[in-house]
Amino acid sequence: MAYFVIKFVGPEGGILSKPIEALTRDEAISKSGFNARNIESVEVDHFGAIRASLTEKRLPESEQVVTLVTIASKLEAGMTPGRAIVESVDLKKLDLTPADLAGCERACDFLKLLRFDETAILLADAGDRAGNLSDSLKRAADVIRERNKTKKEFAKPMKKAVVNFIVGTSAGIGFPLFGGGMLDEFINKQKFPITKNSMSDVLMALQHFYTTVWPLAIVLLVVAFVLRARLWNAIRRWPLFNKFDDRNRCKRALEFVQTYQLLTQSGFTNPQVLQFLFERSKGRQREIYADAMSQTSEGRELGAVLETEDWPKIISQNLKGFEKQNLDGRSRILTNLSDALTEMFVQYSESISDNLGRISMLTLVCSLLMFALGFYMPMVTMRMVM
């Protein structure tokens, strides 16, 4: 979803603004409920997602799981969906009142207003239409719970990779800054009789580089951020970067398979699943799903649609002839594919962590040796001479 800011003429004639989350400008205008003649402009809000994450109040996913199970139990006890939801959710946490929910009719409308997980909203919609809302909410709770467990497991190798990267970077910058700065102070300002060596020159050169080039580094980082899509497309198959690219493709495939299996079992068709994934994605991933939707509408099989460099080869290989399988056969294929992708994802994450660990250790050892030879040895020699 994108964010738009609609500027409109208020009741007193002043220009007011309202943020709207929508796919297109037309949808944003429709969602706003304003008359077209009162709208001054509709602009893309580039910082809308950041602002929403900071200002919009949501229940933590762990609380959503408990709430969904509670709602399901109340439904089985004979309550209406509206009453079950109002009694199960602490509206004060979301700065809402029962009056704010008065316009909601179906369970999915309540959950959307309460900013629940999109999967829960979609399953509530499907369950409401099929007449098994309670089971659908329980299933949504299970999906969210398992997804959180999986995220925690997947995050472990990458946390190690981040720590290794921070240690290596800190050593590579910190030792030259301290050692080179002290040598410059002692030699050029206090005129100590220090005999430099080649490592001392390297330390002082790095210190000078770090202290003078940082404005350029900031500019380069800003430019890289702005052009990140083009930059990533150019370097993604370089050594080490290709590990991140393989991991991203594997993650995309895993999310697709798990979402596809969940939604198709709830009665959704291929176009509906792709539309759901399209709406909740952004950037390059959004373009990928838009292309997949276009090819699906032309009647191409799922395996052929996903036979591009944006997906692991195992996806297209395992999904060839997928439409010819019965329901049990499709379920087995998707389950096996999900297990294989999970193992691949973990392996890529561990490989990234190991490589960054080696680079970090090499940087740390080199920095320590450079500091010892370039700073400590000249200082010891100076004391012996004095």
Side-chain angles (χ1 to χ4, degrees):
M1 286 281 189
Y3 285 83
F4 297 87
V5 174
I6 297 181
K7 293 183 180 180
F8 61 97
V9 180
E12 299 179 358
I15 301 298
L16 304 177
S17 62
K18 180 180 180 180
I20 298 288
E21 184 180 7
L23 287 174
T24 63
R25 283 180 169 81
D26 292 337
E27 184 179 343
I29 294 173
S30 176
K31 282 187 173 183
S32 70
F34 301 138
N35 193 305
R37 65 172 178 268
N38 293 331
I39 295 177
E40 288 287 317
S41 64
V42 181
E43 300 174 353
V44 177
D45 186 1
H46 296 287
F47 299 98
I50 298 176
R51 188 180 299 109
S53 65
L54 296 175
T55 58
E56 284 188 354
K57 293 187 176 181
R58 298 173 181 263
L59 291 177
E61 290 192 341
S62 57
E63 290 189 28
Q64 290 188 32
V65 171
V66 175
T67 302
L68 289 171
V69 174
T70 303
I71 295 172
S73 66
K74 291 180 182 294
L75 290 174
E76 292 177 349
M79 284 191 186
T80 62
R83 181 183 173 189
I85 292 172
V86 170
E87 289 187 1
S88 303
V89 179
D90 187 355
L91 298 180
K92 292 181 180 179
K93 289 185 177 181
L94 304 174
D95 288 339
L96 295 174
T97 63
D100 296 320
L101 306 180
C104 299
E105 297 181 358
R106 302 171 62 225
C108 60
D109 299 329
F110 284 95
L111 297 182
K112 186 179 296 183
L113 186 61
L114 295 170
R115 296 185 281 275
F116 267 65
D117 184 88
E118 292 176 350
T119 302
I121 297 172
L122 206 62
L123 289 180
D125 183 21
D128 202 6
R129 295 178 188 276
N132 57 352
L133 179 58
S134 175
D135 292 338
S136 294
L137 294 180
K138 289 180 181 178
R139 189 175 184 189
D142 291 338
V143 170
I144 297 173
R145 186 189 300 112
E146 290 302 317
R147 187 173 62 200
N148 284 339
K149 289 181 180 179
T150 303
K151 283 182 179 179
K152 290 179 181 178
E153 289 298 320
F154 287 170
K156 289 179 181 179
M158 295 311 295
K159 286 181 179 178
K160 180 182 176 182
V162 170
V163 171
N164 290 334
F165 178 78
I166 293 175
V167 170
T169 303
S170 300
I173 296 176
F175 282 113
L177 278 178
F178 175 77
M182 294 298 292
L183 283 174
D184 181 67
E185 174 73 20
F186 293 155
I187 295 173
N188 298 324
K189 295 181 180 179
Q190 299 188 24
K191 307 299 181 181
F192 285 179
I194 297 177
T195 303
K196 296 189 297 180
N197 55 37
S198 58
M199 287 295 101
S200 303
D201 293 331
V202 173
L203 273 177
M204 296 181 69
L206 286 174
Q207 188 269 341
H208 177 74
F209 176 79
Y210 290 149
T211 54
T212 57
V213 81
W214 64 267
L216 178 61
I218 293 177
V219 172
L220 290 176
L221 287 174
V222 172
V223 172
F225 178 77
V226 174
L227 302 176
R228 61 189 180 279
R230 294 181 182 178
L231 179 63
W232 175 247
N233 191 50
I235 68 173
R236 64 193 184 101
R237 299 314 300 173
W238 289 8
L240 184 59
F241 291 100
N242 62 345
K243 299 291 185 181
F244 287 94
D245 185 45
D246 291 337
R247 182 180 182 273
N248 289 340
R249 291 191 298 165
C250 190
K251 180 182 179 183
R252 181 185 303 124
L254 184 58
E255 290 176 349
F256 169 79
V257 170
Q258 292 177 341
T259 304
Y260 183 87
Q261 185 173 21
L262 172 66
L263 297 185
T264 51
Q265 288 177 353
S266 300
F268 288 83
T269 62
N270 286 2
Q272 290 174 324
V273 174
L274 292 172
Q275 179 68 31
F276 171 73
L277 291 166
F278 170 77
E279 291 178 357
R280 65 181 298 188
S281 60
K282 56 185 179 180
R284 174 58 185 158
Q285 190 156 304
R286 191 180 184 87
E287 297 175 1
I288 292 171
Y289 284 122
D291 181 60
M293 289 170 59
S294 175
Q295 294 188 52
T296 302
S297 64
E298 296 173 358
R300 297 191 64 186
E301 293 186 351
L302 192 60
V305 170
L306 303 181
E307 196 172 5
T308 68
E309 63 177 10
D310 296 308
W311 303 90
K313 289 184 178 180
I314 189 176
I315 283 282
S316 59
Q317 292 171 348
N318 286 28
L319 292 182
K320 283 184 178 179
F322 179 75
E323 285 79 4
K324 299 177 182 178
Q325 299 286 332
N326 58 26
L327 292 179
D328 290 339
R330 292 183 182 187
S331 178
R332 286 195 299 271
I333 290 173
L334 293 173
T335 300
N336 293 335
L337 191 54
S338 178
D339 292 342
L341 288 168
T342 298
E343 290 299 322
M344 291 170 61
F345 185 83
V346 172
Q347 287 183 8
Y348 287 135
S349 299
E350 291 177 346
S351 177
I352 291 171
S353 178
D354 292 341
N355 285 322
L356 288 181
R358 296 187 189 99
I359 295 173
S360 174
M361 183 59 64
L362 180 62
T363 305
L364 179 61
V365 171
C366 290
S367 299
L368 285 171
L369 287 174
M370 183 167 46
F371 183 78
L373 297 175
F375 178 77
Y376 183 72
M377 292 301 295
M379 296 299 294
V380 172
T381 304
M382 180 193 71
R383 290 179 181 178
M384 292 176 63
V385 173
M386 293 178 64

